[in-house]
Amino acid sequence: MIDVALFGAGRIGNIHAGNVARQPGVRLRYVVDVDGKAAQALAQKYGAQVGDAERAFADGEVAAVLIASSTDTHAEYILRAAKARKAIFCEKPVDLALERARTCAEAVHAANVPCLIGFQRRYDPTFAALKARIDDGAIGTPEMLVVTSRDPGAPPVDYIKRSGGIFKDMLIHDFDIFRWILADEAASVYATGSCLTDPAIEGAGDIDATAVTIRTRHGRLAQINTIRRAAYGYDQRFEVIGAKGMLQAGNHRPTEVMFWSSDAIGADKPEHFFLERYRAAYAIEMAHFFDVLAGRAAARTSIDDGVEALALAEAATTSWREKRIVEI
Amino acid sequence: MIDVALFGAGRIGNIHAGNVARQPGVRLRYVVDVDGKAAQALAQKYGAQVGDAERAFADGEVAAVLIASSTDTHAEYILRAAKARKAIFCEKPVDLALERARTCAEAVHAANVPCLIGFQRRYDPTFAALKARIDDGAIGTPEMLVVTSRDPGAPPVDYIKRSGGIFKDMLIHDFDIFRWILADEAASVYATGSCLTDPAIEGAGDIDATAVTIRTRHGRLAQINTIRRAAYGYDQRFEVIGAKGMLQAGNHRPTEVMFWSSDAIGADKPEHFFLERYRAAYAIEMAHFFDVLAGRAAARTSIDDGVEALALAEAATTSWREKRIVEI
Amino acid sequence: MIDVALFGAGRIGNIHAGNVARQPGVRLRYVVDVDGKAAQALAQKYGAQVGDAERAFADGEVAAVLIASSTDTHAEYILRAAKARKAIFCEKPVDLALERARTCAEAVHAANVPCLIGFQRRYDPTFAALKARIDDGAIGTPEMLVVTSRDPGAPPVDYIKRSGGIFKDMLIHDFDIFRWILADEAASVYATGSCLTDPAIEGAGDIDATAVTIRTRHGRLAQINTIRRAAYGYDQRFEVIGAKGMLQAGNHRPTEVMFWSSDAIGADKPEHFFLERYRAAYAIEMAHFFDVLAGRAAARTSIDDGVEALALAEAATTSWREKRIVEI
Amino acid sequence: MIDVALFGAGRIGNIHAGNVARQPGVRLRYVVDVDGKAAQALAQKYGAQVGDAERAFADGEVAAVLIASSTDTHAEYILRAAKARKAIFCEKPVDLALERARTCAEAVHAANVPCLIGFQRRYDPTFAALKARIDDGAIGTPEMLVVTSRDPGAPPVDYIKRSGGIFKDMLIHDFDIFRWILADEAASVYATGSCLTDPAIEGAGDIDATAVTIRTRHGRLAQINTIRRAAYGYDQRFEVIGAKGMLQAGNHRPTEVMFWSSDAIGADKPEHFFLERYRAAYAIEMAHFFDVLAGRAAARTSIDDGVEALALAEAATTSWREKRIVEI
């Protein structure tokens, strides 16, 4: 039996707890959260106990920690978990500061513990199937990538102020997709953007719409377009082209109903937001984490992926702020 | 130079005249219509002269006639054209009476003139491409056919009264599709229907919605569903299944615009009606007719196809009226 | 806590057991199966005990029975459950004999216990959303229904021999869809069919491809086309038309990957078969059953729905065998 | 009767000649080409005469010129036509040198003659319908644009050497789309690219894949991705997002056949290349030109559009060559 401590009893913590409950041979032992009520409710639902970090890290029975708490706690928990030689699953980003993220990576490598970063999109059935086809050679070497990543609405400005900015908060997933799909590293990054939807976001020193271009070391090209407010919902598509063809990952729809009216032929909008769109991905991701712990699978992401995506987010932020191309 | 006489200066006559004008080496010589003004306008547009049937059939320069006049004139014109040994293109149906249609076919065969019936759907790029794939073996032997054939609105009741009923007026095209796609002949026909859209149609002794099932001599199955009023427009689809897969023919849309709104993702409705949907088909059909005359192509339809589709329409009418399965 | 006895530890029994395990306040107490090993494995997986029918029906703690055993046991278990005043969930069909099914319905009504029949398609997210739109008036009164229902492959001939024939085994779901969507009862049924895929099916006195037409009391029309072998997979579509438009229920695909090659633009085939296609439906159905038991919902199907669908299957069988239209 | 002189008897000249022939009240009088045989063939086909530039410009009967000759002749013919006060239709680009293009624009304005540049995409039914919906307010103010513009194959390297580079040869159309759809002017341009398909293109000092980002004066964002070799054909899509939703322009397909096989559900690839994809656009464009001449319509493009698109192409070329963001 693998015992697990969960840090964070918010929305994403709840999802992970539910998925942990479905893993055979895995038991949720502690739920840790600054919000005692939330911790209590979640612990009770899954037969766990409310704990504090001290106790969770000290408990030798705890073999793995899931870090789904606020971003500013990630690095500390990673460092403590590495020191305690516990396997780590941590939500993105590792930290808002690249240096601190690198320190975490070093600690993880020194401790030689698994550390998966929550880039759940890699486990999405559509995205994973697309990647498998690339690996099977369907399109030859991937050469160009176009990523569309749009949210149905912006988070509260208070959240945005603490978020590290749109590139670290929102596009970090897209930067990971870029590295994963093109299987290459950035040579240069150009980012521009605007505040198109809410002046309060500009007031917070951020933007809500971006256009990013990455050129890789092998000369491959990626473009990412994002906006915080897509009236029609959560838009998560990408397409990748190689000499032999193109692969497209489309949105998922809640149902396959079509309505043919006197106006138009209408289909469902995409799944509402990330909790719906990536429900399957979160479950597969958590199963993968425990497969890794059980030696049934090699880890599909590492803390280095978290660091590299963060480095791209930082480069993009610099490019946008300083209005220049950032060479890497 | 091939000289042509056109009977009928209505909507479909206009389309044929326009397509004749695009054939190299073909000249529209006469336009014949009981409506002198319509004949005059059309003749003038294409540099032809207004004629009467007598003159058109007597003129030795006229090598081909296009019969696009009212249904009750078709048989007479076919018989006269056969007698005058002119090539014939005739709109469906050959006649409303099966016996008379058979008499026409005998005359045509005796005269040994080409006689194409205006089953324009066979020339539609989508339908023709689908048929070519069947002939290439893509799905193996075609075994089941489902035809969806719906009009955007019913014609005036006065038209319906003279139309021979929905099976001869509307489904005759679908019966031809059936014979063409399944490449087999009917062994039994079952038809039922209702008047769902306008009681005046029932008053005229007709129905506006039908469900037809045909079983072929080889045990293949076809279902046809039709309605005179589809709020979303002209719906012309069919699908055919064989041991190796299925081929579907979808509707054509005016544009490929998609609108992603807060309600739905919307695409264009189908092309409005047959004049739009089959614009390309009419042009290809007419080119084919003159290719046949020039010996560049073998005729893709014959008057026998017109007779057989009519026989099916008659069987369906009997099945519906007498509430019984009609064995053929 | 609601205690449940499950009859049948096969594929569908396993699915129901898994879904029972997710219902709060519900406990799987007994698993009953003639195959002791299968019962044991399933019982162990969910902390239940292997039981026999005697014990399960006698146990006063058991409030509900799930009947997922072979068809020939359904009626007996329903009758015993009704007598024991336990709530019933039973897979289709109620029985292969219509009279016996009616006897079951009378017993259930007399006992006044809930009895849901496993028409899981009614709970499918796509089908249920479509039905909700009809109920909201999106298309007006539903007038015509076209159902496409095709399996990826035929079951073993031994199964077919005991199945009651294609109409009771396969189309019974489609007959239920018909009643549910058109909200009307059949006035006449016509069915024809062929053995197109495997002569052994014909040898067993059955067919593997059918075309069914139903005319309702209000003159509405339905067509159903089925085949036991669709090379491209499990095809479960229907469309319904009313004065204001059409609603279509499309297939579900495993992923939303598109591959644009030098040959074609390719999308995924449909979900493989019913276990995949209706995974969500089975879960929602079981949650609904316990919602009904808890008084949180009114039952969405009754044993009468099971009887009526069976009556249609019997009428279709008669129509096919006797080559006649069956008036109801 | 409007008499027309056509310069250039190549592929596009042939298309324009065919479309001129369909305009009532318009007559092709001269065909001018350095290739006498091509000029002769085209002139003969449409009842025109072979001319030389001198004669065509001197002929007072010629009211309009169509310039479809090689790019290096465009400016000279525009200047001569302006001087002779003839209406002008000229293929893109006005010239490879921005200064010379501006000189042409001045001459045209001074002469006050209509001068339409051949940005045929504006007349494409899909693109024009999308633009009309923007103008109707469907999505609110357009804020972000993503353009996908991919060719099925690269032209010969000899052509590329004289083409002015990919930005002036291929993307000039996309720059025009950008200006037309976002209804705003560029404030900054960033372009990068690679030679991914054929080293000979690199040898010619050009690239075959590009990623361009434009930020407008109002802070709107556009991204353009292009490649000279898309295995699946000519890919011409764009999408534009505003506060109220998104509009997408999809590819056109030759037919609406779908093939459901044991591998995938396949649809047609896009129309092969620009001659097929924009066949309707070329016809509508030419009709529009003569509508303008007849006073029936206001010109939908001007020579200034040609100059501005060229300026963007030049800025992009500079950005790519000098690896810097170009402010405008």
Side-chain angles (χ1 to χ4, degrees):
Chain A
M1 186 61 64
I2 295 178
D3 277 16
V4 174
L6 168 65
F7 297 84
R11 275 191 311 188
I12 195 72
N14 263 271
I15 284 175
H16 291 323
N19 286 325
V20 164
R22 283 192 197 99
Q23 309 306 320
V26 178
R27 186 168 50 190
L28 185 63
R29 191 176 179 103
Y30 298 109
V31 176
V32 183
D33 199 298
V34 290
D35 177 346
K37 274 191 189 164
Q40 182 60 39
L42 189 53
Q44 192 166 338
K45 186 167 177 189
Y46 292 104
Q49 48 187 291
V50 172
D52 58 22
E54 202 62 37
R55 192 166 151 202
F57 285 114
D59 187 336
E61 295 295 304
V62 170
V65 299
L66 308 179
I67 306 173
S69 44
S70 65
T71 296
D72 56 3
T73 65
H74 290 185
E76 183 202 330
Y77 288 153
I78 289 174
L79 292 171
R80 290 174 73 174
K83 199 171 168 192
R85 298 202 172 269
K86 298 182 191 308
I88 303 163
F89 174 90
C90 182
E91 282 301 316
K92 63 87 203 166
V94 174
D95 194 81
L96 292 181
L98 185 55
E99 269 320 296
R100 196 156 159 76
R102 287 195 172 127
T103 302
C104 289
E106 282 158 23
V108 163
H109 290 310
N112 199 23
V113 290
C115 178
L116 277 72
I117 302 301
F119 290 127
Q120 86 283 354
R121 296 185 194 180
R122 293 196 184 201
Y123 305 92
D124 174 73
T126 289
F127 294 176
L130 185 152
K131 170 68 170 166
R133 292 219 211 173
I134 293 177
D135 294 346
D136 287 349
I139 59 167
T141 301
E143 295 171 341
M144 292 189 74
L145 173 68
V146 178
V147 178
T148 295
S149 180
R150 300 173 189 154
D151 282 1
V157 171
D158 273 354
Y159 172 91
I160 282 180
K161 282 178 184 164
R162 298 186 319 267
S163 71
I166 194 169
F167 298 103
K168 290 183 183 173
D169 182 55
M170 185 174 165
L171 279 87
I172 196 161
H173 283 293
D174 306 300
F175 292 129
D176 184 61
I177 291 284
F178 153 74
R179 294 183 61 248
W180 181 50
I181 293 297
L182 286 191
D184 199 358
E185 299 294 345
S188 71
V189 176
Y190 168 74
T192 185
S194 288
C195 184
L196 294 171
T197 71
D198 182 357
I201 292 174
E202 191 161 20
D206 205 357
I207 47 180
D208 52 23
T210 74
V212 177
T213 302
I214 306 175
R215 199 170 181 281
T216 73
R217 293 177 191 163
H218 291 97
R220 297 167 195 160
L221 304 173
Q223 283 191 314
I224 304 168
N225 73 82
T226 59
I227 192 164
R228 287 275 198 194
R229 178 263 296 119
Y232 56 88
Y234 192 46
D235 194 353
Q236 300 276 293
R237 290 171 288 149
F238 63 83
E239 60 186 50
V240 55
I241 188 167
K244 290 158 70 181
M246 173 170 59
L247 285 161
Q248 270 184 330
N251 288 311
H252 290 193
R253 296 185 287 209
T255 81
E256 294 299 326
V257 174
M258 305 280 281
F259 177 35
W260 300 46
S261 77
S262 54
D263 289 328
I265 301 178
D268 275 15
K269 295 186 300 175
E271 295 272 15
H272 174 62
F273 209 176
F274 63 97
L275 294 179
E276 293 82 12
R277 172 66 177 86
Y278 293 117
R279 184 184 295 125
Y282 288 121
I284 296 167
E285 176 187 58
M286 199 49 60
H288 172 67
F289 179 61
F290 291 104
D291 281 347
V292 170
L293 264 62
R296 287 188 299 264
R300 284 160 61 179
T301 59
S302 77
I303 191 165
D304 298 331
D305 294 313
V307 171
E308 292 303 325
L310 186 67
L312 285 171
E314 199 147 294
T317 307
T318 301
S319 175
W320 160 59
R321 285 225 178 97
E322 303 183 4
K323 300 190 180 193
R324 64 181 178 88
I325 304 160
V326 174
E327 308 286 339
I328 293 176
Chain B
M1 186 63 62
I2 296 177
D3 277 16
V4 175
L6 167 66
F7 297 84
R11 274 190 312 188
I12 196 72
N14 264 271
I15 284 176
H16 291 323
N19 287 324
V20 163
R22 285 193 196 96
Q23 309 306 320
V26 178
R27 185 168 51 188
L28 186 63
R29 191 176 180 100
Y30 298 108
V31 176
V32 182
D33 199 297
V34 289
D35 178 345
K37 274 192 189 166
Q40 181 60 38
L42 189 54
Q44 190 165 341
K45 187 167 176 189
Y46 293 103
Q49 47 188 294
V50 172
D52 57 23
E54 203 62 37
R55 190 165 151 203
F57 285 115
D59 187 337
E61 294 294 305
V62 170
V65 298
L66 308 179
I67 306 172
S69 44
S70 65
T71 295
D72 57 1
T73 64
H74 290 186
E76 183 203 331
Y77 288 153
I78 288 174
L79 293 171
R80 290 174 73 173
K83 200 172 168 192
R85 298 202 173 268
K86 299 184 190 303
I88 302 162
F89 173 91
C90 181
E91 282 301 316
K92 62 87 202 166
V94 175
D95 195 83
L96 293 180
L98 185 55
E99 269 322 295
R100 193 155 161 77
R102 288 197 172 123
T103 303
C104 289
E106 282 158 24
V108 163
H109 291 310
N112 198 24
V113 290
C115 176
L116 277 71
I117 302 302
F119 290 127
Q120 86 283 357
R121 296 186 194 179
R122 294 196 184 202
Y123 305 91
D124 175 71
T126 290
F127 295 176
L130 186 152
K131 170 66 170 168
R133 293 218 211 175
I134 293 177
D135 293 346
D136 287 350
I139 59 167
T141 301
E143 295 171 341
M144 291 189 75
L145 172 70
V146 178
V147 178
T148 295
S149 179
R150 300 173 188 153
D151 282 1
V157 170
D158 272 353
Y159 173 91
I160 283 179
K161 282 178 186 163
R162 299 186 318 265
S163 71
I166 194 168
F167 298 104
K168 290 185 184 173
D169 182 54
M170 183 175 167
L171 279 88
I172 197 163
H173 283 292
D174 305 301
F175 292 129
D176 184 61
I177 292 283
F178 152 76
R179 293 183 63 249
W180 181 51
I181 293 296
L182 287 191
D184 198 0
E185 298 295 344
S188 71
V189 176
Y190 168 74
T192 184
S194 289
C195 184
L196 294 171
T197 73
D198 183 357
I201 293 174
E202 192 161 18
D206 205 357
I207 47 180
D208 51 25
T210 73
V212 177
T213 302
I214 306 175
R215 198 169 181 281
T216 73
R217 294 178 191 162
H218 291 96
R220 296 167 197 161
L221 304 173
Q223 283 191 315
I224 303 168
N225 75 82
T226 59
I227 192 164
R228 287 275 196 193
R229 178 263 298 121
Y232 55 89
Y234 192 48
D235 194 353
Q236 298 279 293
R237 290 172 288 149
F238 63 81
E239 60 186 49
V240 56
I241 188 167
K244 291 159 70 181
M246 172 170 60
L247 286 163
Q248 269 183 330
N251 287 311
H252 290 193
R253 297 184 288 211
T255 81
E256 293 300 325
V257 174
M258 304 280 282
F259 177 36
W260 301 46
S261 78
S262 55
D263 288 329
I265 300 177
D268 275 14
K269 294 188 298 175
E271 296 271 15
H272 175 62
F273 209 176
F274 64 97
L275 294 179
E276 293 83 11
R277 172 65 177 87
Y278 293 116
R279 183 184 296 125
Y282 289 121
I284 296 167
E285 177 186 58
M286 200 48 61
H288 172 68
F289 178 61
F290 291 104
D291 281 347
V292 170
L293 263 63
R296 287 187 299 264
R300 284 160 62 180
T301 60
S302 77
I303 192 167
D304 298 330
D305 295 311
V307 171
E308 292 303 324
L310 186 68
L312 285 170
E314 197 146 297
T317 306
T318 301
S319 175
W320 159 62
R321 286 227 178 95
E322 304 183 4
K323 299 190 181 194
R324 63 178 179 91
I325 304 160
V326 173
E327 308 286 338
I328 293 176
Chain C
M1 185 62 63
I2 296 178
D3 277 17
V4 174
L6 168 64
F7 296 85
R11 275 190 312 187
I12 195 72
N14 264 271
I15 284 175
H16 291 323
N19 287 325
V20 163
R22 282 192 198 99
Q23 309 306 319
V26 178
R27 186 167 51 189
L28 185 63
R29 191 176 179 104
Y30 297 109
V31 176
V32 182
D33 199 298
V34 290
D35 177 346
K37 275 191 189 164
Q40 181 60 39
L42 189 53
Q44 193 165 338
K45 187 166 176 190
Y46 293 104
Q49 49 188 290
V50 173
D52 57 22
E54 202 63 36
R55 193 165 150 202
F57 285 115
D59 188 337
E61 295 295 305
V62 170
V65 299
L66 308 179
I67 305 173
S69 44
S70 64
T71 295
D72 56 2
T73 65
H74 289 186
E76 183 202 331
Y77 288 153
I78 289 173
L79 293 171
R80 290 173 72 173
K83 199 172 170 193
R85 298 202 173 269
K86 298 183 191 306
I88 302 164
F89 174 91
C90 182
E91 282 301 317
K92 62 86 203 165
V94 174
D95 194 80
L96 293 181
L98 185 55
E99 268 321 295
R100 195 155 159 76
R102 287 196 171 125
T103 304
C104 289
E106 282 159 23
V108 164
H109 291 310
N112 198 23
V113 290
C115 178
L116 276 72
I117 302 301
F119 290 127
Q120 86 283 354
R121 296 185 193 180
R122 293 197 184 201
Y123 305 92
D124 174 71
T126 290
F127 294 176
L130 186 153
K131 171 67 169 166
R133 293 218 212 174
I134 293 177
D135 293 346
D136 288 350
I139 59 167
T141 301
E143 295 171 341
M144 292 189 75
L145 172 70
V146 178
V147 178
T148 296
S149 179
R150 301 174 188 154
D151 283 1
V157 170
D158 273 355
Y159 172 90
I160 282 178
K161 282 177 185 164
R162 298 186 318 266
S163 71
I166 194 168
F167 298 104
K168 290 184 183 174
D169 182 55
M170 183 174 166
L171 280 87
I172 196 162
H173 283 292
D174 305 301
F175 292 129
D176 184 61
I177 291 284
F178 153 75
R179 293 183 63 248
W180 181 50
I181 293 297
L182 286 191
D184 199 357
E185 299 294 345
S188 70
V189 176
Y190 168 74
T192 185
S194 288
C195 185
L196 294 171
T197 73
D198 183 357
I201 293 173
E202 190 161 19
D206 206 356
I207 47 180
D208 51 24
T210 73
V212 177
T213 301
I214 306 175
R215 198 167 180 283
T216 73
R217 293 176 191 164
H218 291 96
R220 297 166 195 161
L221 304 173
Q223 283 190 314
I224 304 168
N225 74 83
T226 59
I227 192 164
R228 287 276 198 191
R229 178 263 297 119
Y232 56 89
Y234 192 46
D235 193 353
Q236 298 279 293
R237 290 171 288 149
F238 63 81
E239 61 186 49
V240 55
I241 189 167
K244 291 159 69 181
M246 172 171 59
L247 285 161
Q248 270 184 330
N251 288 310
H252 290 193
R253 297 184 288 209
T255 81
E256 294 299 325
V257 174
M258 304 280 280
F259 177 35
W260 301 46
S261 77
S262 54
D263 288 329
I265 301 178
D268 276 15
K269 294 186 301 174
E271 295 272 14
H272 174 62
F273 209 176
F274 64 97
L275 295 179
E276 293 83 11
R277 171 65 178 86
Y278 293 117
R279 183 184 295 126
Y282 288 122
I284 296 166
E285 175 187 59
M286 199 49 59
H288 172 68
F289 178 61
F290 291 104
D291 281 347
V292 169
L293 263 62
R296 288 187 298 265
R300 285 159 60 180
T301 59
S302 77
I303 192 166
D304 298 330
D305 293 312
V307 171
E308 292 304 324
L310 186 67
L312 285 171
E314 199 147 294
T317 307
T318 301
S319 175
W320 161 60
R321 284 226 179 96
E322 304 183 3
K323 300 192 180 192
R324 63 180 179 88
I325 303 160
V326 174
E327 307 286 337
I328 293 176
Chain D
M1 185 61 64
I2 295 178
D3 277 16
V4 175
L6 167 66
F7 296 85
R11 274 191 311 190
I12 195 72
N14 264 271
I15 284 175
H16 291 322
N19 287 325
V20 164
R22 284 193 197 96
Q23 309 306 320
V26 179
R27 184 168 52 188
L28 185 64
R29 191 175 179 102
Y30 298 109
V31 176
V32 182
D33 200 296
V34 290
D35 177 346
K37 275 192 189 165
Q40 180 60 38
L42 189 54
Q44 191 164 339
K45 187 167 176 190
Y46 293 104
Q49 49 187 293
V50 173
D52 56 24
E54 202 62 37
R55 190 163 152 208
F57 286 115
D59 187 337
E61 294 294 304
V62 169
V65 299
L66 308 178
I67 307 173
S69 44
S70 64
T71 295
D72 56 2
T73 65
H74 290 186
E76 183 203 330
Y77 288 153
I78 289 174
L79 292 171
R80 289 174 72 173
K83 200 171 167 192
R85 298 202 175 269
K86 298 183 191 306
I88 302 164
F89 174 91
C90 183
E91 281 300 316
K92 63 85 202 167
V94 175
D95 194 83
L96 293 180
L98 185 54
E99 269 321 297
R100 194 156 160 76
R102 287 195 172 126
T103 303
C104 289
E106 282 159 24
V108 164
H109 290 311
N112 199 23
V113 290
C115 177
L116 277 72
I117 302 301
F119 290 128
Q120 86 283 356
R121 296 185 193 180
R122 294 197 184 201
Y123 306 92
D124 175 72
T126 289
F127 294 175
L130 186 152
K131 171 67 170 167
R133 294 219 211 175
I134 293 177
D135 293 346
D136 287 349
I139 59 167
T141 301
E143 294 170 342
M144 293 188 74
L145 173 70
V146 178
V147 178
T148 295
S149 180
R150 301 173 188 153
D151 282 1
V157 171
D158 272 354
Y159 172 90
I160 283 180
K161 282 178 185 163
R162 298 185 318 267
S163 71
I166 194 169
F167 297 104
K168 289 185 184 172
D169 182 55
M170 184 175 167
L171 279 87
I172 197 162
H173 284 292
D174 305 300
F175 293 129
D176 184 61
I177 291 284
F178 152 75
R179 294 182 62 247
W180 181 51
I181 293 296
L182 286 191
D184 199 359
E185 298 294 344
S188 71
V189 176
Y190 168 74
T192 185
S194 288
C195 184
L196 294 171
T197 71
D198 183 356
I201 293 173
E202 191 162 18
D206 206 357
I207 47 180
D208 51 24
T210 73
V212 177
T213 302
I214 306 175
R215 199 169 181 282
T216 73
R217 293 177 191 163
H218 291 96
R220 296 166 196 163
L221 304 173
Q223 284 192 314
I224 304 168
N225 74 82
T226 58
I227 192 164
R228 287 274 198 192
R229 178 263 297 119
Y232 55 89
Y234 192 47
D235 193 352
Q236 300 278 293
R237 291 171 288 150
F238 64 81
E239 59 186 51
V240 56
I241 188 166
K244 291 159 71 180
M246 173 171 59
L247 286 162
Q248 271 183 329
N251 288 309
H252 290 192
R253 297 184 289 210
T255 81
E256 294 299 325
V257 174
M258 304 280 282
F259 177 36
W260 302 45
S261 79
S262 55
D263 287 329
I265 301 177
D268 276 14
K269 295 187 298 174
E271 295 272 14
H272 175 62
F273 209 175
F274 64 97
L275 294 179
E276 292 83 11
R277 171 65 177 86
Y278 294 116
R279 183 183 297 124
Y282 289 120
I284 296 167
E285 177 187 57
M286 199 48 60
H288 172 67
F289 178 62
F290 291 103
D291 280 347
V292 170
L293 263 62
R296 288 187 299 264
R300 284 159 63 179
T301 59
S302 77
I303 191 166
D304 298 330
D305 294 312
V307 171
E308 292 303 324
L310 187 67
L312 285 171
E314 197 146 296
T317 307
T318 301
S319 175
W320 161 60
R321 286 228 176 96
E322 304 183 4
K323 300 191 179 192
R324 63 179 178 90
I325 304 159
V326 173
E327 308 286 338
I328 294 175

